[in-house]
Structure formats: C-alpha cells, structure tokens
Amino acid sequence: MCLVMKLQGMRPHRFRRTALDNPSITRVSSGDSAQNSTTGGLDPQISRFYKKPARDRSRLQSSFEMFKCAFVVCGLLAVAAAASSGGRIAGGIDAREGQFPYQVSLRDQRQNHFCGGAILNARWIITAASCAQGKVAADIMAMVGSKSLSRGGSYHQVDRIVVHPNFAEEQLLNDVSVMRVRSPIVMNPDTMAVMMANYYTSIAYGALVSGWGRRGIDQPQFPDWLQYVPTTIITNTECEARFESPYNNRITDAVLCSSSPEGQGICLGDAGGPLVHSGQLQGIVSWGIPCGMGYPDVYARVSVHRAWALVHTMI
C-alpha cells in the first residue's frame, strides 16, 4: 500500500497504483500481455482518468507531464514488481501475527514478489488473471504462512494456472484466476484458507485489503512486512461516477469498488491480493489509479466468480 507523494507541493490528486521502473519488463500482474512489454502498458490517456474541477485538472496535468512515464493504469499493479523488489499498500498498517493467514505472495523464479493472492484450500489459491499474463506455471512460486517477504513461510511451486475464460485484458473484466500448487499447503494458525463470499455486497464498512505493494510511486522497494488498510466498499453507481470515460464503462456487476481516505490505497505489487469483510473474501485487487490518491480501487467481485472458481478448485 502506499504513502502519497506530493508533486510540486500540490495537494495530492488521487491516482492509484503503480510506477514503472523498467519499461522492458514483461507484464506479469497488470492487464497487459507480453506483446505490450516494450511500452510497459502506459496508458496514452493517463491524464484523462478522473473527473476533477478545472482548476485542479491543470495542476494535475502539469504533474502528470513530469511523471507520465512512471504512471500506469492500475490493472498494472504488478507490472514492474518482478523487476523491482519494493512496495507496500499506501498508508498501510503493519499486520499483526495471526492476521491475514490466507495471504499469499506470488514469486517469480528469482523469488521476487510480484502479486498477491489468497488461499482457497490445500491445493488452490485465487488471484487476478492479470497476474498470470506472460507467465507459465513453472515461473511461479507461492509463499504462504509468513507476514515477512524475507523470513519464514513455506514455498509451493505452482503447477497449474486457470484463467477466467472471459477475462478481457484491455478492460480488465473478469480479472480472476486460480492456481494449483504441486505440494499441499499445510494449514496451521498462520496458514488458513479464506471463505469466498456467496452474496452480493453493495455497501460495507470496515473491509480490509492487504498486501506487500509499494508505499508510493516514488518508493521503489516493497516493505518486508505485510501491510493492510481498512476501507469502505462503495456502490458501483458511486464508483462509476468517480471515473471518466472510458474507465467508467469498466464498472460492471462483476467488479467491486472500495474507497479509502486520501493517503491510503493500493499500489504496485498489490494486484491479486484479497479484500475481506466479515471474514469472507469479497474482492481480488484488479486495477485503480496509483497510488493512494483517494479514488476508488477496483476488484474482481468474488461472489460473481465464486461458482466458476469452485468448479476448478474443488478437491
């Protein structure tokens, strides 16, 4: 999660999610595929993300001009994560021992964290479909059972990836996938499965999103310790109203949105991570605007995809 970066002394303008350190990296956890790796998935309309008053727009535009090569539309949360070891949820709080036992860190072959996930059972985890782009099972390890990226936990080789058949890469619709691990995950107080929500949530207070994403666009290192942010699930109507075309068209019944105070939110490295409310998995981190600028974060809605996930993950 990330702490907000102030640009030119201006009041932060909520844009959630990620910065690109290496434009040649193949996209691993954003909505872009390997074919877009040379551009890093930068959106040419990056300065048109949000509805803001005209007086704020000009200031935002000038700041974007300075940093536009670093910003990515947030389904790209982990685009550069495999190349840079750094990140934390914006404005995040250190997780306590025993919290978030379902949390997963997805690692590349060099053991670099690039995405989050959640344990469904002893053999399956759930994450974003964008986290599987440009990857094969042999590329991915899943670390479970530790709040630290560098210490403890157990490592499991992924041996199968199932991406939602209706995943739309450009719009990041149905951004959900499940991954099977070769060796069973042993459950204990620090490693537990999470229950998928089976009901539609319109509004809810006190939801928790967790991950090792960046603290800010200007902070290239992921935090070693798991972070979380309390957030509010908002209606899709409100969420849609806070985005400008074409991004408002991505807000469908298959997604869920949350809103956090300015200074808190999702960032590079958080893609695929869990949003939980009342002990049930409500969302999978999908996209947003980097990082912690107060605009909604968008998730794949788990209740909509639950039946599909169960078909593939029932042991």
Side-chain angles (χ1 to χ4, degrees), residues 7-138:
L7 305 177
Q8 296 182 317
M10 62 178 277
R11 189 169 183 268
H13 270 63
R14 325 166 179 189
F15 49 19
R16 228 160 214 121
R17 279 187 235 241
T18 154
L20 259 183
D21 296 321
N22 186 340
S24 67
I25 296 169
T26 298
R27 187 187 243 49
V28 292
S29 88
S30 83
D32 294 344
S33 64
Q35 66 193 28
N36 295 325
S37 61
T38 56
T39 67
L42 292 177
D43 194 313
Q45 302 184 69
I46 192 72
S47 63
R48 299 180 60 250
F49 277 135
Y50 303 108
K51 295 179 178 177
K52 295 292 289 182
R55 58 186 177 85
D56 286 337
R57 273 173 172 256
S58 61
R59 299 164 69 196
L60 179 58
Q61 176 65 35
S62 64
S63 297
F64 273 145
E65 286 301 317
M66 292 177 58
F67 295 96
K68 64 183 177 182
C69 63
F71 296 156
V72 182
V73 183
C74 248
L76 323 182
L77 291 187
V79 175
S84 66
S85 326
R88 142 175 171 171
I89 282 179
I93 302 165
D94 284 353
R96 301 186 303 274
E97 291 292 350
Q99 271 190 307
F100 313 109
Y102 46 79
Q103 182 77 43
V104 175
S105 167
L106 296 181
R107 310 292 185 89
D108 64 18
Q109 291 179 319
R110 296 182 179 180
Q111 290 303 309
N112 294 314
H113 168 84
F114 66 88
C115 266
I119 301 171
L120 293 182
N121 57 44
R123 294 293 304 280
W124 289 91
I125 64 176
I126 189 167
T127 185
S130 49
C131 290
Q133 296 304 289
K135 292 287 188 181
V136 295

Side-chain angles (χ1 to χ4, degrees), residues 154-267:
S154 61
Y155 292 78
H156 300 263
Q157 177 65 53
V158 171
D159 68 0
R160 186 181 179 194
I161 301 171
V162 184
V163 173
H164 195 287
N166 296 323
F167 172 53
E169 188 176 337
E170 290 188 5
Q171 295 79 27
L172 293 170
L173 301 177
N174 303 303
D175 188 11
V176 60
S177 67
V178 291
M179 299 183 181
R180 187 179 68 186
V181 295
R182 182 175 298 161
S183 59
I185 297 170
V186 177
M187 303 298 173
N188 58 55
D190 294 317
T191 308
M192 300 177 67
V194 66
M195 181 182 298
M196 289 187 288
N198 61 1
Y199 55 88
Y200 187 98
T201 298
S202 180
I203 300 177
Y205 300 94
L208 300 176
V209 57
S210 52
W212 284 278
R214 286 189 179 190
R215 298 185 65 186
I217 287 180
D218 60 340
Q219 301 186 39
Q221 297 301 309
F222 294 141
D224 183 69
W225 198 257
L226 182 67
Q227 303 291 302
Y228 75 94
V229 162
T231 189
T232 299
I233 296 172
I234 60 175
T235 66
N236 281 20
T237 300
E238 177 184 347
C239 185
E240 182 178 352
R242 290 168 67 177
F243 286 104
E244 216 174 66
S245 179
Y247 305 101
N248 57 343
N249 296 324
R250 297 180 180 183
I251 308 305
T252 70
D253 287 342
V255 306
L256 174 152
C257 299
S258 74
S259 181
S260 302
E262 191 168 286
Q264 298 180 336
I266 305 307
C267 201

